[in-house]
């Protein structure tokens, strides 16, 4: 099976989708228990939500499920949030702390090494190649990493998650104007809540690629699934009315970021 999908564009903005895939090879599917086979921790419909919002944006999407291997985790297995509950490179549990593997069928070190080679590495090779391609056009690239999660998950965080969760690793992964643009749009969005670098400060992808001093900026958007799903439970159905209302604000974020990126590129070229 193809482990990723790439659509090339010429915008300085690249959309990353590491968690929308639901493909699980049969040999791995056979080892998941009934709970694991629900694939509940998918970023449901996120690639559909963003589709067409920014003309000529490049997209890189993993088609494999995060239970195969998590494309947004450090390949060395280091935790993104030391001391807090989270899931690992190959999760042992779901977001509620419940086992996803049959007894005795949890992935071994050899399994993890194989999945790094066959899934994680190809996704990041493609993402890195697109960043370099876009940077060669503009002298700058902005990776906007697209995510979603249920708004209530006591195992991972207390209370209710804001609707828009912007992560830049405390401002380290992008120019201040980029994170400010996202914050400005989300705080002005009537009926929604937002936060910058709250519970989610940007995943491994954002932190790894975001090097503003090299012309590569990265920002993560974690959306509460209540903003675009009919319910945050099976079958995790897409709510078109909710989604269209949300898409107006997402388009505002992306167009502002693109405008800033083009301005930074022009400034950089003029200073040569």
């Amino acid at each position: 099976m193809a482990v990723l999908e790439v659509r090339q564009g010429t915008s300085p903005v690249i959309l990353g989708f590491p968690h929308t895939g639901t493909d699980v090879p049969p040999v791995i599917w056979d080892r998941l228990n009934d709970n694991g086979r629900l694939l509940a921790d998918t970023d449901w419909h996120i690639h559909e939500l963003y589709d067409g919002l920014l003309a000529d944006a490049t997209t890189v999407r993993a088609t494999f499920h995060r239970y195969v291997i998590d494309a947004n985790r450090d390949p060395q297995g280091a935790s993104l949030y030391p001391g807090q509950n989270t899931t690992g490179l190959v999760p042992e549990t779901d977001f509620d702390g419940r086992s996803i593997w049959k007894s005795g069928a949890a992935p071994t070190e050899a399994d993890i090494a194989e999945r790094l080679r066959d899934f994680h590495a190809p996704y990041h090779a493609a993402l890195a190649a697109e960043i370099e391609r876009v940077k060669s056009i503009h002298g700058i690239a902005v990776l906007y990493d697209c995510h979603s999660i249920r708004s209530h998950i006591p195992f991972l965080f207390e209370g209710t998650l804001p609707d828009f969760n912007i992560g830049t690793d405390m401002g380290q992964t992008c120019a201040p104007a980029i994170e400010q643009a996202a914050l400005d749009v989300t705080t002005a969005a009537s009926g929604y809540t937002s936060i910058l670098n709250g519970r989610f400060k940007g995943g491994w992808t954002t932190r790894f690629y975001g090097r503003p001093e090299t012309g590569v900026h990265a920002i993560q958007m974690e959306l509460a699934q209540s903003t675009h799903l009919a319910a945050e439970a099976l079958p995790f159905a897409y709510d078109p009315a909710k989604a269209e209302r949300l898409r107006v604000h997402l388009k505002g974020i992306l167009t502002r970021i693109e405008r800033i990126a083009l301005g930074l590129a022009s400034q950089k070229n003029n200073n040569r």
Side-chain angles (χ1 to χ4, degrees), residues 14-190:
I14 299 164
L15 305 182
F17 299 98
H19 292 154
T20 68
T22 54
D23 290 348
V24 181
V27 68
I28 297 175
W29 181 263
D30 288 345
R31 295 166 66 172
L32 289 168
N33 62 22
D34 288 343
N35 180 52
R37 291 180 180 184
L38 297 177
L39 306 182
D41 299 331
T42 306
D43 288 12
W44 297 102
H45 309 289
I46 284 293
H47 56 300
E48 181 179 355
L49 184 68
Y50 280 93
D51 188 43
L53 290 182
L54 189 64
D56 226 15
T58 293
T59 63
V60 181
R61 174 179 177 257
T63 58
F64 55 90
H65 195 263
R66 68 189 305 158
Y67 291 169
V68 176
I69 193 164
D70 193 326
N72 196 35
R73 293 291 183 271
D74 186 335
Q76 303 303 315
S79 175
L80 290 168
Y81 300 99
Q84 299 183 55
N85 286 340
T86 186
T87 53
L89 180 61
V90 175
E92 295 182 6
T93 70
D94 65 11
F95 287 166
D96 295 308
R98 299 173 301 190
S99 175
I100 59 173
W101 302 101
K102 293 177 180 176
S103 179
T108 65
E109 289 300 315
D111 292 327
I112 294 171
E114 185 177 274
R115 296 182 201 183
L116 276 168
R117 181 195 68 205
D118 295 342
F119 299 93
H120 193 284
Y123 174 77
H124 283 284
L127 188 57
E130 290 309 307
I131 289 171
E132 285 305 307
R133 184 185 64 82
V134 167
K135 188 181 172 187
S136 73
I137 298 171
H138 299 283
I140 191 170
V142 180
L143 172 61
Y144 180 101
D145 215 35
C146 308
H147 296 262
S148 73
I149 194 168
R150 285 178 286 139
S151 58
H152 297 272
I153 306 181
F155 182 70
L156 297 183
F157 50 82
E158 295 181 0
T160 302
L161 199 68
D163 298 316
F164 296 99
N165 298 267
I166 305 161
T168 64
D169 197 19
M170 307 308 290
Q172 296 187 74
T173 65
C174 68
I178 291 174
E179 70 172 16
Q180 191 62 49
L183 187 61
D184 286 348
V185 173
T186 58
T187 54
S190 178

Side-chain angles (χ1 to χ4, degrees), residues 170-215:
M170 307 308 290
Q172 296 187 74
T173 65
C174 68
I178 291 174
E179 70 172 16
Q180 191 62 49
L183 187 61
D184 286 348
V185 173
T186 58
T187 54
S190 178
Y192 294 95
T193 55
S194 65
I195 193 168
L196 173 63
N197 291 313
R199 171 60 179 84
F200 297 97
K201 297 176 173 64
W204 181 79
T205 303
T206 302
R207 301 184 199 191
F208 180 75
Y209 291 103
R211 299 285 184 270
E213 68 278 4
T214 71

